[in-house]
Amino acid sequence: MLLKILQTGFMGGKNIRKMSQYKLTYFNVKGLGEPIRFIFAYMGKEFQDNRISHEEWPQFKEKTPFGKMPFLEIDGKVYYQSVPILRYLAPQAGLAGKNAEEDLEIDMIAGAYGDLISEVTRYRRMENLIEKEKLRETFINETVPFYMSKFETILKKNGGYLANGKLSWADLYVVGHSSSLPGLIGYDLNENYPFWKELTERVYSVPGIKEWIKKRPEAVF
Amino acid sequence: MLLKILQTGFMGGKNIRKMSQYKLTYFNVKGLGEPIRFIFAYMGKEFQDNRISHEEWPQFKEKTPFGKMPFLEIDGKVYYQSVPILRYLAPQAGLAGKNAEEDLEIDMIAGAYGDLISEVTRYRRMENLIEKEKLRETFINETVPFYMSKFETILKKNGGYLANGKLSWADLYVVGHSSSLPGLIGYDLNENYPFWKELTERVYSVPGIKEWIKKRPEAVF
């Protein structure tokens, strides 16, 4: 990779521009890291896909900005928070809105999906097993149907996409993350909501992402 | 207000431009609504400050985009999610970053503070009273000190602001919301962290916000 850059620089003569080096650090799961991997795959940009094991995590945790992953290093500088990272990369990928209104529409969807994720996090961290199971039932029987009814309307309005009638980083975000739900809370949106499965397949068939899906490493979930 | 616009339009002759009408709907608390009220106060923009009582809420809930507040109507169109709304209004207020890098820095801080809030939400929704109290102790003795050590470093690096060495919507967001923590979880950051109190006072003394603090309605917390 480095050699390739040096060669380009050497051979090109003029317009020598150093390509940024990207390193994404996350667990060996899809979750909040996968949407960022998707955006790199979509852009055709190489990135170092650094995966930390659960054994390494307790020690590694203190090296992270706020005790969390994923975080992204661009030329050694550390950036954190998955949604802000997606927002930052999106214009380069052509997956942002074309104006402030469109960006707001994307942000709202991502925020709403983030609220759904926070219910999953709440479930994962519940210690009392009886309350935990109760929470899972509420999630499956109330929370998910509520959110899905909203998302279904939104998808219909936008021709199968989540915002502005076209592919955006919001689609990559919810599809990339929601593929981990079976492992996170034992529930598969794709199995239960055909329109969600269609959205997943739509994103999985996007050039760049399609190839990534085939070659990506096996993950715990 | 309407009369004023019509008069301006009538008397001004040329450049007749309809002013947008803003209506913010939230509970009668500061919380996630207050940062949006701050940004309007900072801009000197009038807005309808619509406050829903807890008695009205169960019936009102189904009228909201995703069963949550705050939401903002701009000329009748509904926008939801507090952080996306702040992001959208920020450039108009001069409280956004001057480029994508600066926006990312603001977004990361807001995201990190959002994670802290999610711990408060987790506490609020815990039903088992013994676990709930345990969670509160962990929040006060572990979570808060961890986040505060990070924020202290960031504030020092940025001359008393949270991002890019200058006032941004991130400052309005964390100060506007964190004033509700005593009511939400019985803990006051300002009492326990002098640098947080300084940040609060810095934001409270900003023109526009200063006047708002004096005139804002009494809230539950």
Side-chain angles (χ1 to χ4, degrees):
Chain A
M1 185 66 190
L2 184 64
L3 186 67
K4 201 182 153 200
I5 295 160
L6 290 173
Q7 281 178 336
T8 312
F10 186 73
M11 292 160 69
K14 276 180 286 190
N15 297 324
I16 299 176
R17 200 170 141 226
K18 192 176 153 288
M19 274 172 68
S20 284
Q21 301 291 311
Y22 298 96
K23 179 179 175 182
L24 178 71
T25 301
Y26 193 51
F27 294 109
N28 184 29
V29 300
K30 296 192 283 291
L32 292 171
E34 198 66 8
I36 303 171
R37 298 180 190 125
F38 276 7
I39 209 166
F40 282 124
Y42 181 76
M43 288 194 278
K45 267 208 163 80
E46 287 195 43
F47 69 102
Q48 193 183 333
D49 188 14
N50 187 32
R51 296 177 184 231
I52 300 293
S53 71
H54 281 80
E55 290 70 41
E56 295 168 275
W57 175 237
Q59 273 208 300
F60 191 78
K61 195 177 162 76
E62 56 195 74
K63 292 180 197 159
T64 70
F66 271 89
K68 287 183 192 285
M69 300 198 289
F71 61 88
L72 177 68
E73 287 160 88
I74 307 180
D75 298 326
K77 197 174 169 195
V78 178
Y79 300 92
Y80 54 97
Q81 287 280 331
S82 56
V83 165
I85 289 169
L86 287 168
R87 283 199 109 272
Y88 176 75
L89 296 173
Q92 302 168 38
L95 293 173
K98 72 167 192 289
N99 54 37
E101 279 272 326
E102 287 198 1
D103 278 333
L104 175 55
E105 198 168 320
I106 297 168
D107 285 348
M108 292 190 300
I109 294 293
Y113 183 78
D115 285 343
L116 185 64
I117 296 180
S118 73
E119 296 297 316
V120 178
T121 309
R122 214 174 129 228
Y123 162 80
R124 303 268 304 169
R125 295 179 57 186
M126 183 71 82
E127 283 173 27
N128 182 303
L129 292 181
I130 295 164
E131 285 201 40
K132 189 168 181 158
E133 186 49 32
K134 215 175 76 185
L135 208 62
R136 187 170 170 272
E137 278 169 24
T138 308
F139 179 79
I140 292 172
N141 300 321
E142 293 174 29
T143 315
V144 165
F146 176 79
Y147 275 84
M148 287 300 116
S149 72
K150 305 285 182 180
F151 284 130
E152 186 171 21
T153 306
I154 290 165
L155 284 162
K156 270 190 189 145
K157 212 186 92 191
N158 286 284
Y161 297 102
L162 284 165
N164 308 312
K166 63 189 174 193
L167 187 72
S168 74
W169 64 266
D171 302 296
L172 274 59
Y173 174 53
V174 306
V175 168
H177 181 274
S178 67
S179 60
S180 283
L181 290 179
L184 287 168
I185 195 167
Y187 186 78
D188 192 341
L189 289 177
N190 292 323
E191 264 178 24
N192 292 281
Y193 293 91
F195 71 86
W196 198 267
K197 196 181 174 194
E198 280 171 32
L199 174 66
T200 298
E201 284 168 357
R202 192 167 294 119
V203 171
Y204 279 14
S205 66
V206 167
I209 296 176
K210 190 177 177 176
E211 291 72 33
W212 168 252
I213 304 283
K214 281 182 204 152
K215 74 173 187 188
R216 67 181 170 188
E218 281 285 319
V220 190
F221 50 77
Chain B
M1 186 67 187
L2 184 63
L3 186 66
K4 201 181 154 199
I5 294 160
L6 290 172
Q7 281 178 336
T8 312
F10 186 73
M11 290 161 68
K14 277 178 286 187
N15 298 325
I16 298 176
R17 197 169 143 227
K18 193 176 152 287
M19 274 171 67
S20 284
Q21 302 291 310
Y22 299 96
K23 180 180 176 182
L24 178 71
T25 301
Y26 193 52
F27 294 110
N28 184 29
V29 300
K30 297 192 282 293
L32 291 171
E34 197 65 9
I36 302 172
R37 298 181 189 124
F38 276 6
I39 209 167
F40 282 124
Y42 180 77
M43 289 194 279
K45 268 206 162 79
E46 287 195 44
F47 68 102
Q48 193 182 332
D49 188 15
N50 188 32
R51 296 177 185 232
I52 301 293
S53 71
H54 280 81
E55 290 70 39
E56 294 168 275
W57 175 235
Q59 274 209 299
F60 191 79
K61 194 176 162 76
E62 57 195 76
K63 292 180 196 157
T64 68
F66 272 88
K68 287 183 191 286
M69 299 198 288
F71 61 87
L72 177 68
E73 288 160 88
I74 306 180
D75 298 326
K77 196 175 170 194
V78 178
Y79 301 90
Y80 54 98
Q81 288 279 332
S82 56
V83 164
I85 290 170
L86 287 168
R87 282 198 110 271
Y88 176 74
L89 297 173
Q92 302 170 37
L95 292 174
K98 72 168 191 289
N99 54 38
E101 278 273 326
E102 287 198 1
D103 278 333
L104 175 56
E105 197 168 322
I106 297 167
D107 285 347
M108 292 189 299
I109 295 292
Y113 183 78
D115 285 342
L116 185 65
I117 296 180
S118 73
E119 296 297 315
V120 178
T121 309
R122 214 174 131 229
Y123 163 82
R124 303 268 304 168
R125 294 178 59 188
M126 182 71 82
E127 284 173 25
N128 182 303
L129 292 182
I130 295 164
E131 285 201 41
K132 189 167 181 157
E133 186 50 31
K134 215 175 76 185
L135 208 62
R136 187 172 169 271
E137 279 168 25
T138 307
F139 179 78
I140 293 172
N141 300 321
E142 293 174 30
T143 315
V144 165
F146 176 79
Y147 276 84
M148 287 300 116
S149 72
K150 305 284 183 182
F151 284 130
E152 185 170 21
T153 306
I154 289 165
L155 284 163
K156 269 188 191 148
K157 212 186 91 189
N158 286 284
Y161 297 103
L162 283 165
N164 308 311
K166 62 189 176 192
L167 187 73
S168 74
W169 65 266
D171 302 296
L172 274 60
Y173 174 53
V174 305
V175 168
H177 180 275
S178 67
S179 59
S180 282
L181 290 179
L184 287 169
I185 194 166
Y187 185 78
D188 193 340
L189 289 178
N190 291 323
E191 264 177 24
N192 292 280
Y193 293 90
F195 70 88
W196 198 267
K197 197 182 175 193
E198 280 171 32
L199 175 66
T200 298
E201 285 169 358
R202 191 168 294 120
V203 171
Y204 279 15
S205 67
V206 167
I209 295 176
K210 190 177 177 174
E211 291 71 34
W212 168 253
I213 303 283
K214 282 182 203 150
K215 75 173 187 190
R216 67 182 171 188
E218 281 284 319
V220 191
F221 51 77

